[in-house]
Amino acid sequence: MRKLLVALMMVAFAATAFAADVKFSGSYEVDGKYEKNYNQVRGTTTEEVTNQYYEHDFDLWMNVQTDKDTFFKTKLELLDGSWIAPAKNGSDDGYADNTQFSVQRAWLGHNFGGVLVEAGLMNSGAWGYAFADDVEGNYRVKATFDVAGGKLTVLTQKSAELADSDNIRDDANKDDADKYSIGYKGTFGGIMIAPKLDYDIKSNTDKNGDYGTGDSKVIDLDVAAGGKFGALNVETEVKYNSNSVKDGDDYDLYGIYANFGYNMGAATVGFLTAYGSADKDTQKGFDFDDDFDSTFILGDDLGVGGGDDLTGFWANALYATYDVNDKLSLMGKFAYATSNWEDNDLEDATAWELDGSATYAITKELSYYFNVGYAKVDLDQAEDPDSLMLVKHGLILSF
């Protein structure tokens, strides 16, 4: 940690010497969790088990603006995980073993007027709304053009590289993994429209998409649209991906999302629906993914169906939010989900969950939240797990 702080200070002083504008930002979150019977859904044990533990997450961003058109950005993750006792009680060395320091983003950009060019390790995995998004870092070269009504983005992404300076094999390039993407985001008459098409070539992968032997190609179409119509806010998104696998079965998956929220001043009531298909032959399902957070337990924490959120399910939810005052806000949600799987333990499964939360702004930068969730799962093909419960509260400092 001391070495990191020294390095950051050196960068800041060096940038100042060259008249660059350096800004730091970030967040630190500490939370405590109570979980009941998660183990039964995960399949680890059939007993009633409760877990209680603390977690924390510390991310630090640095933005270096060398002039009005040129920048460098980086994100450092210093902590992300549960509180674990040090190897030696009261030992700084012991705590140091539990840090997760990594450089998660590092890229540069320059605005050439009508086009912004960026290159490096930057955000990927997000488009439209949060539905089926999983923001992670990937190596990209991206160009964003100013066009009529919005912006056009084209990029190439390097997911795996076999032909580097240490590899002298003539056909090494054939084992790379590359993605090519073109997307447009524009607003017309208050309606946002965002279509995107990806072509993902994953060479040297097995039938599950893991690197080994074989090849796969994925065509991914994502179309998002939405806007405000008086007091009604509408979000919609459709995503379809076609998977061609050399040494396995081809399969197609799709997801559909719609969210309707009606604003009544301090309160908002709404309904959302999210559908994810499942393929019977390959036992693959469409994942609502990590950033969607359909529910506290079944979606965000457990990812029922095998993904980062509900996978291969159709979920419907009624929700309401209420701003009590400038500092306190409340949320309530009831969700019901049905399975689209066949020929496994989730066939004909159903589940429901009731969630509630309260968030209080202690200061402009510091907030406290309290979340509670209760869920039930009905498995027609296996023994039903006991009821599930989550209680979570924490502090978030954003700066």
Side-chain angles (χ1 to χ4, degrees):
M1 181 66 72
R2 295 189 185 94
K3 293 180 180 179
L4 169 64
L5 294 175
V6 170
L8 291 175
M9 291 174 63
M10 290 174 65
V11 171
F13 282 126
T16 303
F18 289 103
D21 182 14
V22 181
K23 293 182 179 179
F24 289 97
S25 61
S27 64
Y28 180 64
E29 177 179 357
V30 179
D31 66 73
K33 296 182 72 173
Y34 168 90
E35 303 168 344
K36 181 181 178 181
N37 291 332
Y38 279 24
N39 56 291
Q40 294 185 9
V41 176
R42 289 175 174 146
T44 52
T45 66
T46 58
E47 300 176 355
E48 287 193 13
V49 175
T50 60
N51 291 320
Q52 301 177 59
Y53 57 95
Y54 292 100
E55 298 175 312
H56 63 173
D57 185 6
F58 178 26
D59 294 329
L60 184 65
W61 280 90
M62 182 175 69
N63 183 4
V64 180
Q65 196 80 32
T66 59
D67 57 52
K68 67 181 182 64
D69 295 318
T70 311
F71 64 84
F72 170 78
K73 296 181 181 181
T74 186
K75 174 190 175 184
L76 307 176
E77 182 178 78
L78 285 79
L79 301 167
D80 185 9
S82 303
W83 283 6
I84 303 174
K88 301 174 183 178
N89 253 345
S91 166
D92 286 344
D93 291 338
Y95 288 112
D97 292 338
N98 296 324
T99 61
Q100 296 83 32
F101 173 71
S102 63
V103 179
Q104 294 199 333
R105 305 290 187 273
W107 83 99
L108 59 82
H110 181 79
N111 192 334
F112 289 89
V115 56
L116 171 64
V117 177
E118 298 170 275
L121 179 60
M122 64 187 76
N123 282 348
S124 68
W127 187 260
Y129 300 103
F131 179 66
D133 281 359
D134 186 7
V135 176
E136 296 287 351
N138 269 294
Y139 296 108
R140 291 180 157 190
V141 178
K142 182 171 71 172
T144 304
F145 299 86
D146 294 328
V147 296
K151 295 184 180 296
L152 176 70
T153 300
V154 294
L155 64 88
T156 177
Q157 176 176 304
K158 177 62 65 174
S159 301
E161 177 62 71
L162 273 295
D164 57 21
S165 59
D166 296 324
N167 194 330
I168 58 175
R169 184 162 56 88
D170 287 341
D171 62 349
N173 282 319
K174 296 180 181 179
D175 293 333
D176 291 347
D178 297 276
K179 177 184 286 188
Y180 306 94
S181 177
I182 181 170
Y184 171 81
K185 289 185 180 181
T187 303
F188 301 89
I191 300 176
M192 185 277 292
I193 299 176
K196 178 176 69 74
L197 180 65
D198 293 344
Y199 181 51
D200 201 351
I201 305 171
K202 299 179 180 179
S203 300
N204 198 31
T205 61
D206 62 19
K207 63 182 180 180
N208 295 314
D210 299 322
Y211 291 99
T213 59
D215 299 288
S216 68
K217 296 178 176 63
V218 181
I219 298 174
D220 195 309
L221 176 64
D222 190 339
V223 180
K228 290 186 177 181
F229 306 89
L232 180 65
N233 184 65
V234 179
E235 299 178 354
T236 63
E237 191 162 3
V238 177
K239 190 169 184 178
Y240 170 83
N241 59 70
S242 176
N243 299 264
S244 175
V245 184
K246 181 179 179 181
D247 294 330
D249 296 326
D250 297 345
Y251 62 97
D252 299 333
L253 296 172
Y254 64 92
I256 303 171
Y257 162 72
N259 187 354
F260 307 91
Y262 190 82
N263 187 288
M264 300 183 296
T268 297
V269 294
F271 168 78
L272 71 82
T273 183
Y275 184 94
S277 68
D279 184 77
K280 175 181 177 180
D281 296 329
T282 61
Q283 291 295 297
K284 301 283 188 179
F286 185 92
D287 185 0
F288 297 164
D289 232 320
D290 193 47
D291 297 334
F292 187 57
D293 299 343
S294 58
T295 63
F296 289 158
I297 300 174
L298 301 174
D300 187 26
D301 272 8
L302 289 177
V304 175
D308 290 322
D309 200 281
L310 287 172
T311 299
F313 274 80
W314 183 15
N316 295 280
L318 294 169
Y319 65 89
T321 63
Y322 179 65
D323 295 329
V324 179
N325 50 46
D326 292 341
K327 289 185 173 292
L328 178 63
S329 60
L330 307 175
M331 185 281 294
K333 178 191 290 184
F334 176 79
Y336 184 79
T338 57
S339 171
N340 294 317
W341 292 95
E342 296 183 60
D343 294 344
N344 65 26
D345 287 348
L346 290 176
E347 183 174 355
D348 297 325
T350 60
W352 62 266
E353 181 169 335
L354 182 63
D355 292 336
S357 72
T359 303
Y360 184 80
I362 300 171
T363 68
K364 183 179 178 180
E365 294 80 16
L366 180 64
S367 62
Y368 170 81
Y369 66 87
F370 182 88
N371 298 342
V372 60
Y374 183 88
K376 289 284 290 184
V377 178
D378 181 8
L379 299 175
D380 277 11
Q381 309 299 321
E383 184 178 350
D384 294 344
D386 293 316
S387 58
L388 303 135
M389 188 171 182
L390 165 73
V391 178
K392 178 181 178 180
H393 68 136
L395 290 164
I396 301 178
L397 176 65
S398 299
F399 55 91

